[in-house]
Amino acid sequence: MAVKDFPYNAHPATQLRHLTIRQLRSLAALSARGSVTAASTHLGLTQPAVTQQLRQLQDLAGLPLVQRTGDGMLLTAAGREVLALADRVEAAIADCQGALDLLAGRTGGTVHLGAVSTAKYFVPHAIAEFSKRFPKIEIKLAIGNREEIREAMHGYDLDFAVMGRPPADVTVDVRQLGRNPHVIVARKGHWLAKDRGLNLTDLVHETFLTREPGSGTRTLMEGMFQRSDLEPIIGMEMSSNETIKQAVIAGLGIAFISAHTVAHELAEGRLIILDVAGLPIVRQWYVIRRSDKILLPPAQAMFDFLGSEGSAYLPDVPELRGQ
């Protein structure tokens, strides 16, 4: 494409005030790619469309902007001046976007996130990835049992929470995050480890190590036994899943627990899952916010992130694949 393909006039370049972003980007793409064909591919436009943009820009400039050489289409001195303008305009647009994002809270601000204690085994990993994408957003994480997080959802301090069954006494918006399987675990070498098809009746003489009342896991376990008209032997109540795991490994009893909390211990062989009929009991993880809670852009961004990508951070439990 020769210079004569881009007609120009001799009037002053005051008409540059009428140029468009698309024209500047066409010139920048031509400079970077060396041909109209490559520039059109880069911009996702047709070759005639790019040619038209370049012709219009050169007409507004009133000087030749490009010339054909053995190395392809190159910019003239005037073309390089306009290209510098294009660079400044793109930088100004980026700066303006950054300022608007900051004002809107998309790249700054604080998110108040609550999570039940069982979720602490994957929520920090999701937060880490979100923080890589939005490093200026501060995340404040509050951990509690189900009852504590449910009570927190009655107020407006939390933007949203990660938990299991949504509270029934608060109107909420819910995003499903992923499956939450619950199993019964014992120490490696437990006398029931090799048995298959166990029933709850086979476990009534076992000592259960369990979470405190108000915990979602404790409530789920009690419901499981009540449906079978059985009552487990409770050896110790603990407010920490970590303590329960260590107590089971030490041989103080067995535990009904979320498989996500024991994924590492299962992989290391320190704990095993007992083969009990009806298990795992699978519940769901949810991201929950009050319906009348207005989320600022940072919180909305993280709420959407967890709803769409949060499942990728759930621990993998090979023993339960296919169940």
Side-chain angles (χ1 to χ4, degrees):
M1 185 173 297
V3 174
K4 61 184 177 62
D5 292 330
F6 297 110
Y8 62 94
N9 55 47
H11 61 65
T14 55
Q15 292 197 56
L16 278 179
R17 70 185 64 177
H18 301 298
L19 62 77
T20 67
I21 295 297
R22 178 168 288 188
Q23 291 166 357
L24 290 177
R25 286 175 175 166
S26 294
L27 184 69
L30 178 67
S31 175
R33 307 291 168 169
S35 72
V36 173
T37 300
S40 63
T41 300
H42 173 71
L43 295 171
L45 300 173
T46 64
Q47 292 183 44
V50 173
T51 299
Q52 182 182 21
Q53 297 299 325
L54 292 170
R55 284 176 174 168
Q56 291 173 347
L57 179 60
Q58 186 161 271
D59 185 60
L60 291 172
L63 289 170
L65 300 181
V66 296
Q67 61 185 6
R68 179 185 292 277
T69 73
D71 296 324
M73 299 294 289
L74 298 180
L75 301 188
T76 64
R80 291 192 294 273
E81 284 296 323
V82 177
L83 180 62
L85 171 63
D87 293 338
R88 292 196 298 272
V89 168
E90 292 289 3
I93 291 174
D95 289 344
C96 182
Q97 184 64 62
L100 292 176
D101 286 344
L102 186 60
L103 289 172
R106 287 187 289 268
T107 57
T110 303
V111 177
H112 296 270
L113 168 63
V116 295
S117 54
T118 305
K120 69 183 179 182
Y121 294 93
F122 64 89
V123 167
H125 298 285
I127 291 175
E129 176 58 32
F130 181 81
S131 295
K132 290 179 183 178
R133 303 183 191 182
F134 302 94
K136 295 183 180 180
I137 296 178
E138 180 184 4
I139 310 297
K140 292 189 176 181
L141 176 62
I143 299 291
N145 65 27
R146 171 183 163 75
E147 186 61 24
E148 290 168 338
I149 297 300
R150 187 188 72 82
E151 284 298 321
M153 291 296 292
H154 282 85
Y156 293 88
D157 290 338
L158 292 181
D159 290 309
F160 50 86
V162 176
M163 61 191 305
R165 179 168 46 91
D169 53 352
V170 181
T171 303
V172 296
D173 291 335
V174 175
R175 300 280 183 90
Q176 186 168 308
L177 199 154
R179 300 169 74 250
N180 181 16
H182 288 72
V183 296
I184 294 177
V185 297
R187 69 178 298 182
K188 180 181 179 180
H190 189 278
W191 72 282
L192 292 175
K194 296 182 180 180
D195 288 359
R196 294 293 177 265
L198 294 168
N199 293 304
L200 288 182
T201 53
D202 298 316
L203 305 178
V204 293
H205 300 296
E206 295 294 316
T207 298
F208 276 82
L209 310 175
T210 184
R211 291 288 303 276
E212 75 286 0
S215 159
T217 304
R218 173 69 174 267
T219 301
L220 189 58
M221 184 193 75
E222 291 174 342
M224 175 183 70
F225 276 97
Q226 289 171 2
R227 286 190 294 273
S228 298
D229 294 323
L230 298 172
E231 185 173 344
I233 298 174
I234 304 298
M236 298 175 66
E237 292 182 353
M238 307 174 189
S239 60
S240 165
N241 288 317
E242 289 298 319
T243 306
I244 290 177
K245 289 190 295 184
Q246 294 304 317
V248 173
I249 292 171
L252 296 179
I254 62 177
F256 177 82
I257 199 167
S258 168
H260 289 156
T261 69
V262 293
H264 291 301
E265 289 76 14
L266 292 172
E268 293 168 355
R270 292 190 291 162
L271 291 176
I272 54 97
I273 296 176
L274 295 182
D275 183 19
V276 180
L279 296 181
I281 295 177
V282 179
R283 291 294 183 262
Q284 296 292 325
W285 286 115
Y286 298 101
V287 189
I288 299 168
R289 73 175 181 92
R290 288 186 62 116
S291 297
D292 59 352
K293 170 74 172 180
I294 298 176
L295 297 183
L296 294 176
Q300 186 65 57
M302 188 169 190
F303 186 76
D304 293 339
F305 168 78
L306 289 175
S308 61
E309 301 183 43
S311 60
Y313 303 95
L314 295 175
D316 181 38
V317 184
E319 292 86 346
L320 299 181
R321 289 175 184 169
Q323 295 189 25

